[in-house]
Amino acid sequence: MYKACIFDLDGTLLNTLHTIAHYSNKALEHFGFEKLPLEKYQVLCRLSYKEYYQTLLKFGGCPEDRTEELFDQVGRFDHQAYLKDALYLTKPYEGIKEILEKLAEKDIILAVLTNKPDHVAQEVIAATFPDTFDLCVGQLPDKPAKPDPNALLRVVDLLGLQKDECIYVGDTDVDIKTANGAGVFCIAAAWGYQPIEMLEKNEPDVIIHRPEEVLTYYR
């Protein structure tokens, strides 16, 4: 029987796409680059911290020889602005709060694993789902990021569980690769940022279309 449900954050628990685009576009403008359309952020949201800002700068017109110099500066500017109002344009997907309550009623351990920087993830989760999750793990400089399966295995270990006691729910190919590499049952969330064709191609254990379908695996 599964004892824990580990969720991705952006595109799985929360619709943050407009929020991310808003602040990252402000960062691009501040450093003299072009703003990006929303669909570019659907691509970017899959990436780790370094890959995100390097690709953001590339899409925004930054010369390739300057991305290494600027990506961390742009990241810091973006995060400082984001944390001033992290909930701007952000909202949980319909049905998410209800499913978390039902899982908690079943004494299922709830956790978050995200490539969002850890201090940002902690702020966002505390503000949107207070006293809901037993553990939230964001990206730290000295720890592996998704799709490295060790990122998920570390969370399983922190929960004091075995990998076959956990389910991971995410909305991207990166999430599926992470779970499959770790040997953790993977549920792909079709309501997120990636097309269903991408999810199918990466072979999750199951694809669901509504949050309440998660409950099927905890009966």
Side-chain angles (χ1 to χ4, degrees), residues 100-113:
L100 293 175
E101 289 172 3
K102 288 177 180 177
L103 288 169
E105 287 170 4
K106 293 175 176 288
D107 295 322
I108 301 302
I109 297 167
L110 300 174
V112 173
L113 172 63

Side-chain angles (χ1 to χ4, degrees), residues 140-184:
L140 294 164
D142 60 339
K143 301 296 181 186
K146 298 181 294 183
D148 188 327
N150 288 303
L152 180 53
L153 290 172
R154 176 171 172 259
V155 173
V156 172
D157 187 57
L158 288 170
L159 294 175
L161 297 174
Q162 301 298 314
K163 61 186 181 181
D164 61 0
E165 296 177 309
C166 301
I167 288 176
Y168 186 62
V169 185
D171 72 304
T172 70
D173 58 322
V174 170
D175 295 312
I176 298 168
K177 290 172 183 175
T178 303
N180 287 349
V184 172

Side-chain angles (χ1 to χ4, degrees), residues 6-180:
I6 306 166
F7 291 88
D8 172 52
L9 178 54
D10 300 295
T12 302
L13 292 172
L14 295 174
N15 188 343
T16 57
L17 195 62
H18 288 84
T19 310
I20 291 167
H22 173 78
Y23 289 116
S24 288
N25 276 338
K26 282 187 173 296
L28 284 171
E29 284 189 304
H30 178 81
F31 285 89
F33 302 115
E34 296 292 323
K35 294 194 299 183
L36 305 181
L38 194 65
E39 57 266 23
K40 288 290 188 183
Y41 288 97
Q42 290 179 278
V43 177
L44 288 163
C45 281
R46 304 165 45 252
L47 304 177
S48 65
Y49 174 91
K50 185 174 183 179
E51 291 173 318
Y52 178 94
Y53 287 104
Q54 287 177 332
T55 310
L56 179 79
L57 283 165
K58 178 183 176 181
F59 286 169
C62 178
E64 189 174 342
D65 61 359
R66 295 194 65 205
T67 58
E68 197 67 27
E69 165 200 348
L70 288 175
F71 84 85
D72 213 26
Q73 295 178 49
V74 174
R76 285 196 300 272
F77 182 94
D78 190 0
H79 293 158
Q80 286 169 3
Y82 192 107
L83 287 176
K84 288 178 182 177
D85 188 3
L87 300 187
Y88 179 66
L89 301 176
T90 285
K91 58 182 180 180
Y93 285 100
E94 185 177 353
I96 286 292
K97 287 190 174 181
E98 291 79 4
I99 198 65
L100 293 175
E101 289 172 3
K102 288 177 180 177
L103 288 169
E105 287 170 4
K106 293 175 176 288
D107 295 322
I108 301 302
I109 297 167
L110 300 174
V112 173
L113 172 63
T114 173
N115 274 351
K116 190 183 286 292
D118 188 70
H119 67 287
V120 181
Q122 301 294 343
E123 291 265 358
V124 171
I125 286 295
T128 51
F129 303 106
D131 304 316
T132 298
F133 286 95
D134 299 279
L135 178 68
C136 174
V137 175
Q139 191 175 347
L140 294 164
D142 60 339
K143 301 296 181 186
K146 298 181 294 183
D148 188 327
N150 288 303
L152 180 53
L153 290 172
R154 176 171 172 259
V155 173
V156 172
D157 187 57
L158 288 170
L159 294 175
L161 297 174
Q162 301 298 314
K163 61 186 181 181
D164 61 0
E165 296 177 309
C166 301
I167 288 176
Y168 186 62
V169 185
D171 72 304
T172 70
D173 58 322
V174 170
D175 295 312
I176 298 168
K177 290 172 183 175
T178 303
N180 287 349

Side-chain angles (χ1 to χ4, degrees), residues 188-200:
W191 59 82
Y193 301 157
Q194 304 304 316
I196 195 162
E197 294 79 13
M198 177 185 282
L199 303 182
E200 291 172 339

